[in-house]
Amino acid sequence: MNPNLQLSLSQQLKLNPQLQQSIKLLQLSQLALQQEIQYQLDSNPLLTLLDDSYSESKTAGSDSNPELNANLLANAFPNNRNTNNVEAPANSRHIDSGQQHSTYSAHNDGEMSLENQFQESIGLREHLEWQIQMSALSRADMEIAYYVIENIDDAGFLTVSSQEIIEQIQQDFDHRFDPDEVEAVIHQVQQLEPFGCASSNLQQFLLLQLHLAIEEASSPQQPTLKLAQKLVRHHFDCLCKHRYPDLIKRLSLTRQEMDNALSVIQQLRNKPNHQYIGEVTEYIRPDILVYNLHGSWHAQLASNNAPQLDINHQYAQALRQSNNTYDKQYLQQNLQRARWFMQSIEARNDTLKRVADWIVQHQQNFFDCGESALRPMRLKDLAEDLKLHESTISRACSEKFLQSPTGIYELKYFFSNAVPSTQGGEWSSKAIKNIIKQYITAEPSRKPLSDIELANRLQEEGITIARRTVAKYREALNIPPSSQRKLFTNS
């Protein structure tokens, strides 16, 4: 085999640095974009931040529509019933079910409350350790307390036994503590704030709360509290399984006594870390604002979330006057980087504005009538109309949020599959889910609608879908079947 040389021509598509940066910026969320802008400001001396850009943008609105001012935006939300799109916590009816906490809310003023600043600066374990350092424990007990705190989970429960804590200390320091001493320190940690941290399980945490309530309660409240304590201590399994008639019969109680005791138990917390210390509330800053102008809905970029950038003219002047080759090359490279970055930011805003305008224009009925009027949309349709690639549309909609008078929605929320209607036109799958939810909400509690009955009602609306499709939509809404929704009254 003899070596030889061959010459061939080929074409390859390569992205230049500016295009790569534009693609990267387009898919960033609002928070990630601010971090990237701050990084560029710190690393590039030719890039600077215009003075008072934040305050000016907050009052002046978007540059893309100078006719709008702060008063117009304020009038765009006259009946903002649910701007934050936050659901109220559901009241727990069982001792083993927790409250629901929404993670979505609007935060437009750019300032954080003292509570959130405290949450960012300290976690649950750090908060407990600080209290231990302020206590009068001995050095040995303080070391035990540190090991106890290290083994507490985010909910505040102790994840190991006292024997395992003893083994951990012995392995690290070759010293074995007495089990009673460890239990005493665990009890000390349980008295800290939040109260009940280091409880081994829910039952122990409930008993700690009841014991404290009995000590502080007046005489008329004592019998009910002690009955609740007895139920939790000796009949916890029956409580979890809701076998209340068996408990009434076994303990010779009246229905009123049982109801009073259950009411006390249901008011107790189900996790020690009720303050969520260490969990930072993540606020959503909308990228798009939707407003109503003369009966039509329009989109506007929320430009107050991004600072206004410019070239540092002092360094640009130094570039023109410099005779040093190295300095001139360094400044020239950073000047090009600054221009590319500013152009990429403009391209991002332009693409996001075009996508938002298209979505709002095609979803006018949604903003007027709600989710049941949501039209089906596909990325392909939007890409064809805007002469963009589907991947570009996907990046533009990723982690971007729109604020309307009815709430905050992710841009991807507006895209859904189409279901043909027998009466002409198409239905969005999300609109069908909303109709199913409305049917179930209005159904009789003693005779809930089955999936077949739901499919028949949808048929009357001109929506022809199979029973299994109704079941799939119902499960996506976390709604149990009719057999589980039926309410039975205790005889």
Side-chain angles (χ1 to χ4, degrees):
M1 180 179 293
N2 296 325
N4 55 12
L5 297 176
Q6 292 182 351
L7 182 64
S8 62
L9 296 177
S10 63
Q11 291 183 340
Q12 288 184 339
L13 180 62
K14 291 187 176 181
L15 300 179
N16 59 44
Q18 183 178 3
L19 186 55
Q20 291 178 359
Q21 187 177 60
S22 298
I23 293 175
K24 175 185 176 182
L25 294 179
L26 182 60
Q27 63 187 1
L28 292 181
S29 64
Q30 193 64 246
L31 178 60
L33 176 64
Q34 291 180 2
Q35 293 174 346
E36 179 65 22
I37 291 175
Q38 187 61 50
Y39 171 77
Q40 294 292 336
L41 289 170
D42 294 339
S43 60
N44 192 342
L46 269 295
L47 193 64
T48 186
L49 183 68
L50 291 181
D51 294 338
D52 301 327
S53 61
Y54 271 107
S55 60
E56 290 175 1
S57 61
K58 285 181 181 179
T59 56
S62 174
D63 296 335
S64 61
N65 195 346
E67 295 180 359
L68 295 174
N69 53 29
N71 294 330
L72 181 56
L73 287 177
N75 295 331
F77 302 94
N79 298 315
N80 194 343
R81 300 181 303 275
N82 190 18
T83 302
N84 296 344
N85 204 22
V86 177
E87 296 181 359
N91 293 329
S92 173
R93 296 301 300 168
H94 308 297
I95 60 175
D96 56 345
S97 62
Q99 292 183 335
Q100 302 172 352
H101 293 269
S102 172
T103 59
Y104 287 14
S105 65
H107 189 70
N108 299 326
D109 55 5
E111 299 180 357
M112 298 188 66
S113 64
L114 292 177
E115 178 184 359
N116 290 330
Q117 293 179 9
F118 175 76
Q119 289 179 341
E120 283 193 334
S121 62
I122 190 170
L124 172 63
R125 296 170 186 83
E126 289 80 4
H127 183 58
L128 294 173
E129 289 176 357
W130 175 78
Q131 295 179 77
I132 286 294
Q133 294 169 1
M134 298 297 104
S135 64
L137 293 178
S138 64
R139 187 175 184 85
D141 289 346
M142 194 171 293
E143 283 295 334
I144 298 175
Y146 287 144
Y147 274 84
V148 172
I149 294 172
E150 286 178 0
N151 289 284
I152 293 177
D153 60 16
D154 293 335
F157 289 107
L158 188 62
T159 58
V160 298
S161 63
S162 57
Q163 182 62 35
E164 289 174 314
I165 293 176
I166 294 175
E167 293 174 357
Q168 290 178 8
I169 298 176
Q170 185 177 10
Q171 183 178 2
D172 292 343
F173 296 101
D174 196 20
H175 177 77
R176 186 176 182 84
F177 286 95
D178 185 79
D180 293 337
E181 186 176 2
V182 175
E183 288 292 342
V185 174
I186 292 176
H187 180 72
Q188 288 287 337
V189 175
Q190 291 172 351
Q191 307 306 311
L192 301 177
E193 182 64 29
F195 177 79
C197 284
S199 299
S200 58
N201 50 44
L202 176 61
Q203 182 181 16
Q204 185 183 23
F205 179 53
L206 295 177
L207 289 174
L208 287 173
Q209 296 178 78
L210 289 170
H211 179 74
L212 181 62
I214 291 174
E215 289 183 347
E216 298 177 350
S218 58
S219 299
Q221 298 173 328
Q222 293 281 345
T224 301
L225 291 172
K226 289 183 178 180
L227 175 58
Q229 185 184 48
K230 181 179 179 180
L231 292 173
V232 174
R233 188 186 302 277
H234 301 292
H235 307 281
F236 188 69
D237 291 339
C238 291
L239 288 176
C240 293
K241 296 177 182 178
H242 314 299
R243 295 166 55 183
Y244 307 138
D246 293 344
L247 290 175
I248 292 175
K249 184 176 180 180
R250 186 186 308 176
L251 301 177
S252 301
L253 301 174
T254 64
R255 183 58 183 267
Q256 186 63 41
E257 290 174 335
M258 175 59 73
D259 289 344
N260 293 339
L262 291 177
S263 177
V264 170
I265 296 173
Q266 290 166 359
Q267 293 176 8
L268 301 176
R269 303 198 313 271
N270 59 6
K271 61 177 64 175
N273 190 15
H274 65 289
Q275 296 176 339
Y276 294 89
I277 297 175
E279 294 187 6
V280 180
T281 302
E282 297 183 2
Y283 295 97
I284 290 179
R285 287 190 174 187
D287 303 83
I288 306 296
L289 299 178
V290 177
Y291 59 94
N292 191 308
L293 185 63
H294 306 305
S296 178
W297 295 96
H298 302 271
Q300 174 181 332
L301 290 179
S303 60
N304 60 320
N305 291 325
Q308 298 178 12
L309 303 174
D310 195 7
I311 300 298
N312 191 318
H313 298 290
Q314 293 181 351
Y315 281 101
Q317 182 69 20
L319 173 62
R320 290 190 290 268
Q321 299 176 354
S322 176
N323 296 324
N324 187 301
T325 304
Y326 176 80
D327 293 344
K328 196 164 187 175
Q329 182 181 5
Y330 171 78
L331 293 174
Q332 185 66 42
Q333 290 176 351
N334 282 279
L335 177 61
Q336 187 65 36
R337 285 176 51 212
R339 288 173 175 170
W340 282 354
F341 186 74
M342 293 170 60
Q343 292 173 5
S344 299
I345 291 291
E346 292 178 0
R348 178 186 187 273
N349 292 338
D350 178 68
T351 303
L352 188 58
K353 180 65 165 59
R354 292 175 63 193
V355 170
D357 286 339
W358 193 94
I359 292 176
V360 173
Q361 184 64 31
H362 283 71
Q363 296 293 351
Q364 292 283 316
N365 291 336
F366 168 80
F367 297 108
D368 286 327
C369 305
E371 190 174 13
S372 59
L374 187 66
R375 291 179 56 186
M377 279 179 19
R378 297 180 301 174
L379 291 175
K380 182 179 179 181
D381 300 332
L382 198 157
E384 290 178 353
D385 286 354
L386 299 185
K387 308 300 181 183
L388 298 173
H389 196 272
E390 288 185 42
S391 62
T392 302
I393 303 299
S394 179
R395 292 188 184 97
C397 296
S398 178
E399 298 186 62
K400 311 299 189 304
F401 294 87
L402 175 150
Q403 178 175 333
S404 72
T406 57
I408 294 180
Y409 306 91
E410 190 173 9
L411 291 186
K412 287 186 175 181
Y413 167 83
F414 296 96
F415 295 91
S416 59
N417 297 327
V419 177
S421 173
T422 58
Q423 300 176 356
E426 294 178 329
W427 283 86
S428 165
S429 58
K430 291 182 179 178
I432 297 175
K433 290 179 183 178
N434 184 65
I435 295 175
I436 293 175
K437 185 177 180 180
Q438 292 177 2
Y439 284 157
I440 294 177
T441 302
E443 69 185 4
S445 60
R446 293 180 177 271
K447 191 178 180 181
L449 298 173
S450 64
D451 293 339
I452 296 178
E453 292 173 329
L454 290 172
N456 293 335
R457 290 201 176 189
L458 291 173
Q459 178 71 34
E460 297 174 359
E461 297 281 348
I463 306 171
T464 303
I465 57 176
R467 181 203 59 80
R468 61 180 179 274
T469 306
V470 173
K472 182 180 70 173
Y473 288 168
R474 175 181 52 74
E475 291 172 358
L477 294 170
N478 295 322
I479 298 176
S482 58
S483 59
Q484 298 182 16
R485 298 200 306 272
K486 188 173 182 180
L487 299 179
F488 294 95
T489 56
N490 294 326
S491 55

